[in-house]
Amino acid sequence: MKITVFNTGGTFNKRYNPILGQLEVPTDSMALDAVLKSIHNVQVEIINLISKDSLDITNDDRTFLVNQIQKCEDEAIIVIHGTDTMDLTADFIAQYINNKKVILTGAMIPMSIDSIEATMNFSLALGFLNASVAHGVYVAMHGAVASYEKLKKNRMQGKFLIID
Amino acid sequence: MKITVFNTGGTFNKRYNPILGQLEVPTDSMALDAVLKSIHNVQVEIINLISKDSLDITNDDRTFLVNQIQKCEDEAIIVIHGTDTMDLTADFIAQYINNKKVILTGAMIPMSIDSIEATMNFSLALGFLNASVAHGVYVAMHGAVASYEKLKKNRMQGKFLIID
Amino acid sequence: MKITVFNTGGTFNKRYNPILGQLEVPTDSMALDAVLKSIHNVQVEIINLISKDSLDITNDDRTFLVNQIQKCEDEAIIVIHGTDTMDLTADFIAQYINNKKVILTGAMIPMSIDSIEATMNFSLALGFLNASVAHGVYVAMHGAVASYEKLKKNRMQGKFLIID
Amino acid sequence: MKITVFNTGGTFNKRYNPILGQLEVPTDSMALDAVLKSIHNVQVEIINLISKDSLDITNDDRTFLVNQIQKCEDEAIIVIHGTDTMDLTADFIAQYINNKKVILTGAMIPMSIDSIEATMNFSLALGFLNASVAHGVYVAMHGAVASYEKLKKNRMQGKFLIID
């Protein structure tokens, strides 16, 4: 299997900058690289497309992302995205892409602070892509992989929950 | 979704005992509990069935495990198992179980030493079960989820690799 | 040996709040508690006095801290403090306290993100107090324990450096 | 300040080998290197002298270590050593060296499994050397830095405790 990961930043990637005393979205893929070390049966290409907190993602960013997905030769795509506007970006992608398996994922806690949640979310996406799944736009978070219309962030609880 | 996790021990669970100065297979599920904190959309029941290094797993243990799987009401089952004889146990299960989705997983590095690989392997299984997959016996390791006949440990490299 | 640790907050204690998506100074001493597990020969009393980023520490806070140090029965005192105004608080303490060994310490990286630097800085203070040292106000950071007048934060480099 | 660290192996340095499925004493100083990143005011030279579990340290090893300490230009020396025979090596050094400050330290839990205890023990030694201390042979473990005759491993409890 070959997949492309489009990295748009978000909490998943955040790292602490000791000089500034705050968390930053880096432009690299160090958080993903840590996960890649345990993947031996999938060819993974990481493209650092955008490096933003998801509250700062614009529709221009989304158009750019859709263009990149369209141009991508892989059928299986994972998008790393901040959690706050993951639903908006998923909606946007679903309007334009219908011939690929696109899974958005991210984390509530930076990989650099606690690797378990971020690793789980990414690996849920990867495990799902190992099955024969239909084209579509999905979200992989907190134990679930489901259509982007059914798995949404509950801001009060800080959890992605399946909506019945 | 509701799944049962049968924990048989193995490297996934090992923890360091400072008094004895060595790694031990504990009888609890502390390693799994750490992963469960990030799962909010799946009902997971953990049963600590056997607590052994997989080199010590006997066919009596395997018969006991098969009996437990048969009695289990859940259709989706994850078995945490040591890597050295995961293939033998998978073979054994496949002889007796054909009406469930059984996924064996584990880790080359204890969760307590490096949480990334163990979290990934377990989450691959969970992600795969989120898709509509056929009954069967599978292995989830190192980026892949595949039939137990196709994903095997390469002892020289210390990796589970797909066999063509 | 018996020592009192006055915890005033700062980066040393910061933890990530996934709901708010930011680092917070907690009112507890969880960061110190993690270090205490490895201390078996010193009686350590932790008092959570103030829970602030050090940029928010006021002279009222400093007066309160000095009063607590004066009332404290222990001769050996460690103050956990944010790095940005550690020098101001040390100056302030030195004006009022001359019959105790007061060591200020903290961290550039939260204990919850990377435990090594924070553990080192605290343990430098503890190691220094195991020697026969004179009354005074000291800073323990980045390999050094020295008079508060000689060990200062270099903001450009993000390091505490000895001033010759 | 300039110090030399003689690394003789022991639990402090142990790392997990996933191929062999066991902890090993590596011949490098990766565990110490992680601590060095937070030290900016001390010139530290690390010499990987011996790479053994301390149960395997022989008197030939101890003679070799003493020779290296004698030849070393630094007055302040830290010896990383396994905990099981740290007392024997300290005795041995004390017979031959009386013009230096030699501090033995180590860990009950490998740095690679839990960095807090190992970082603390090393940093206690470093903090103690920041004070004006007499020539002698010391042990730095679990909150204390004391003469090697007074701080000993309690094997039942797995702790180094001050002997009155």
Side-chain angles (χ1 to χ4, degrees):
Chain A
M1 185 162 57
K2 162 99 170 56
I3 68 168
T4 292
V5 179
F6 289 110
N7 188 9
T8 75
T11 297
F12 188 99
N13 291 279
K14 282 184 183 169
R15 285 206 302 277
Y16 191 70
N17 180 326
I19 308 284
L20 299 181
Q22 60 192 33
L23 291 161
E24 292 180 331
V25 182
T27 56
D28 59 41
S29 61
M30 201 181 288
L32 280 163
D33 295 346
V35 178
L36 281 202
K37 285 181 192 162
S38 301
I39 301 179
H40 306 307
N41 294 285
V42 183
Q43 199 182 333
V44 181
E45 184 174 4
I46 297 175
I47 297 172
N48 296 312
L49 213 59
I50 300 162
S51 301
K52 290 190 176 179
D53 191 301
S54 77
L55 292 172
D56 301 325
I57 297 269
T58 64
N59 278 346
D60 281 353
D61 291 326
R62 294 187 178 102
T63 301
F64 179 53
L65 172 60
V66 162
N67 286 343
Q68 295 296 312
I69 294 173
Q70 283 169 332
K71 278 190 223 162
C72 179
E73 291 182 0
D74 292 330
E75 193 192 26
I77 287 166
I78 296 176
V79 176
I80 306 295
H81 198 285
T83 62
D84 279 321
T85 67
M86 194 184 283
D87 57 341
L88 300 182
T89 299
D91 272 340
F92 198 99
I93 295 171
Q95 292 174 43
Y96 297 98
I97 308 283
N98 59 16
N99 61 338
K100 289 178 186 287
K101 306 159 183 177
V102 180
I103 309 187
L104 292 93
T105 191
M108 294 297 294
I109 304 172
M111 183 81 185
S112 63
I113 294 184
D114 180 350
S115 60
I116 293 179
E117 187 223 351
T119 300
M120 159 165 292
N121 294 338
F122 181 83
S123 304
L124 287 169
L126 198 52
F128 188 76
L129 287 170
N130 272 271
S132 296
V133 295
H135 291 158
V137 178
Y138 304 91
V139 168
M141 290 291 288
H142 296 164
V145 189
S147 164
Y148 73 100
E149 294 172 302
K150 292 198 176 162
L151 183 56
K152 301 264 189 183
K153 181 171 178 176
N154 178 315
R155 283 164 217 286
M156 297 289 283
Q157 296 186 46
K159 301 172 183 173
F160 277 70
L161 298 176
I162 294 281
I163 298 160
D164 292 320
Chain B
M1 184 162 58
K2 162 100 169 56
I3 69 168
T4 291
V5 178
F6 289 111
N7 188 9
T8 74
T11 296
F12 188 99
N13 291 278
K14 282 184 182 169
R15 283 205 303 277
Y16 190 72
N17 180 326
I19 309 285
L20 298 181
Q22 59 192 36
L23 291 161
E24 293 180 331
V25 182
T27 57
D28 60 41
S29 61
M30 198 181 289
L32 279 163
D33 296 346
V35 178
L36 281 202
K37 285 180 192 162
S38 301
I39 301 179
H40 307 308
N41 295 285
V42 183
Q43 199 182 333
V44 181
E45 183 174 4
I46 296 176
I47 297 173
N48 296 311
L49 213 59
I50 301 162
S51 301
K52 289 189 176 180
D53 191 302
S54 78
L55 292 172
D56 301 325
I57 296 269
T58 64
N59 277 346
D60 281 355
D61 291 325
R62 293 186 178 103
T63 301
F64 179 52
L65 172 61
V66 162
N67 286 342
Q68 296 296 312
I69 293 172
Q70 283 169 333
K71 278 190 222 161
C72 179
E73 290 182 1
D74 292 329
E75 193 193 23
I77 287 166
I78 295 176
V79 176
I80 306 293
H81 198 285
T83 61
D84 279 322
T85 66
M86 194 184 282
D87 57 339
L88 300 181
T89 299
D91 271 341
F92 198 99
I93 295 171
Q95 291 174 43
Y96 297 98
I97 308 283
N98 58 17
N99 62 339
K100 289 178 185 289
K101 303 160 186 179
V102 180
I103 309 188
L104 293 93
T105 190
M108 295 296 295
I109 304 172
M111 183 79 185
S112 63
I113 293 184
D114 179 350
S115 60
I116 293 179
E117 187 224 349
T119 301
M120 159 165 291
N121 294 337
F122 181 83
S123 304
L124 287 169
L126 197 53
F128 188 77
L129 287 169
N130 272 272
S132 295
V133 296
H135 291 157
V137 178
Y138 303 91
V139 168
M141 291 291 288
H142 297 164
V145 189
S147 164
Y148 72 100
E149 295 172 301
K150 291 199 177 163
L151 183 57
K152 302 264 188 183
K153 181 171 177 176
N154 178 315
R155 283 165 216 287
M156 297 288 284
Q157 295 186 47
K159 300 173 183 173
F160 276 71
L161 298 176
I162 294 281
I163 297 160
D164 292 319
Chain C
M1 185 161 59
K2 161 99 170 58
I3 68 168
T4 292
V5 178
F6 288 112
N7 188 9
T8 74
T11 296
F12 188 100
N13 292 278
K14 283 184 182 168
R15 284 205 303 276
Y16 190 73
N17 180 326
I19 308 285
L20 298 182
Q22 59 192 35
L23 291 161
E24 292 180 332
V25 182
T27 57
D28 59 41
S29 61
M30 199 182 289
L32 280 163
D33 296 346
V35 178
L36 281 202
K37 284 181 193 162
S38 301
I39 300 180
H40 306 308
N41 295 284
V42 183
Q43 199 181 332
V44 181
E45 184 173 2
I46 296 175
I47 297 174
N48 296 311
L49 214 58
I50 300 162
S51 301
K52 289 189 177 180
D53 191 302
S54 77
L55 292 172
D56 301 325
I57 297 270
T58 65
N59 277 346
D60 281 355
D61 292 325
R62 294 187 178 102
T63 301
F64 179 53
L65 172 60
V66 162
N67 286 343
Q68 296 296 313
I69 293 172
Q70 283 169 334
K71 278 190 222 161
C72 179
E73 291 182 0
D74 292 329
E75 193 194 25
I77 286 166
I78 295 176
V79 177
I80 306 294
H81 199 285
T83 61
D84 279 322
T85 67
M86 194 184 282
D87 56 340
L88 300 182
T89 299
D91 271 341
F92 198 99
I93 295 171
Q95 292 174 42
Y96 296 98
I97 308 283
N98 58 17
N99 63 339
K100 289 178 187 288
K101 304 159 186 179
V102 180
I103 309 188
L104 292 93
T105 191
M108 295 295 296
I109 304 172
M111 183 80 184
S112 63
I113 293 184
D114 180 351
S115 60
I116 293 179
E117 188 223 350
T119 300
M120 159 165 291
N121 294 337
F122 182 84
S123 304
L124 287 169
L126 197 52
F128 188 77
L129 287 169
N130 272 271
S132 296
V133 296
H135 292 157
V137 178
Y138 303 91
V139 168
M141 290 291 288
H142 296 165
V145 189
S147 164
Y148 72 100
E149 295 171 301
K150 291 199 178 162
L151 184 56
K152 302 264 187 182
K153 181 172 178 175
N154 178 316
R155 282 165 217 287
M156 297 288 283
Q157 295 186 46
K159 301 173 183 173
F160 277 70
L161 299 176
I162 294 282
I163 297 161
D164 292 319
Chain D
M1 185 162 58
K2 161 100 171 57
I3 68 169
T4 292
V5 179
F6 289 111
N7 188 9
T8 75
T11 297
F12 188 100
N13 291 279
K14 283 183 182 169
R15 284 206 303 277
Y16 190 72
N17 180 327
I19 308 284
L20 298 181
Q22 60 191 35
L23 290 161
E24 292 180 330
V25 182
T27 56
D28 59 41
S29 60
M30 201 181 288
L32 280 163
D33 296 346
V35 177
L36 282 203
K37 285 181 192 162
S38 301
I39 301 179
H40 306 307
N41 294 285
V42 183
Q43 200 182 331
V44 181
E45 183 174 3
I46 297 175
I47 297 173
N48 295 311
L49 213 59
I50 300 162
S51 301
K52 289 189 176 179
D53 192 301
S54 78
L55 292 172
D56 301 325
I57 297 269
T58 64
N59 278 346
D60 281 355
D61 291 325
R62 294 187 177 101
T63 301
F64 178 53
L65 172 60
V66 162
N67 286 343
Q68 296 296 313
I69 294 172
Q70 283 169 331
K71 277 190 223 162
C72 179
E73 291 181 0
D74 292 330
E75 193 193 24
I77 286 166
I78 296 176
V79 177
I80 306 294
H81 198 285
T83 62
D84 280 321
T85 66
M86 194 185 282
D87 57 340
L88 300 181
T89 299
D91 272 341
F92 198 98
I93 295 171
Q95 291 174 43
Y96 297 98
I97 308 283
N98 59 16
N99 61 339
K100 289 179 186 287
K101 305 160 184 178
V102 180
I103 309 187
L104 292 93
T105 191
M108 294 297 294
I109 304 172
M111 183 80 185
S112 63
I113 294 184
D114 180 350
S115 60
I116 293 179
E117 187 224 351
T119 300
M120 159 165 291
N121 294 338
F122 182 84
S123 304
L124 287 168
L126 197 54
F128 188 76
L129 288 170
N130 272 272
S132 295
V133 296
H135 291 156
V137 178
Y138 303 91
V139 168
M141 290 291 288
H142 297 164
V145 189
S147 164
Y148 72 100
E149 294 171 303
K150 292 198 175 162
L151 184 56
K152 302 263 189 183
K153 181 171 178 176
N154 178 314
R155 283 165 217 288
M156 297 289 282
Q157 295 186 47
K159 300 172 183 174
F160 276 71
L161 299 176
I162 294 281
I163 297 160
D164 293 318

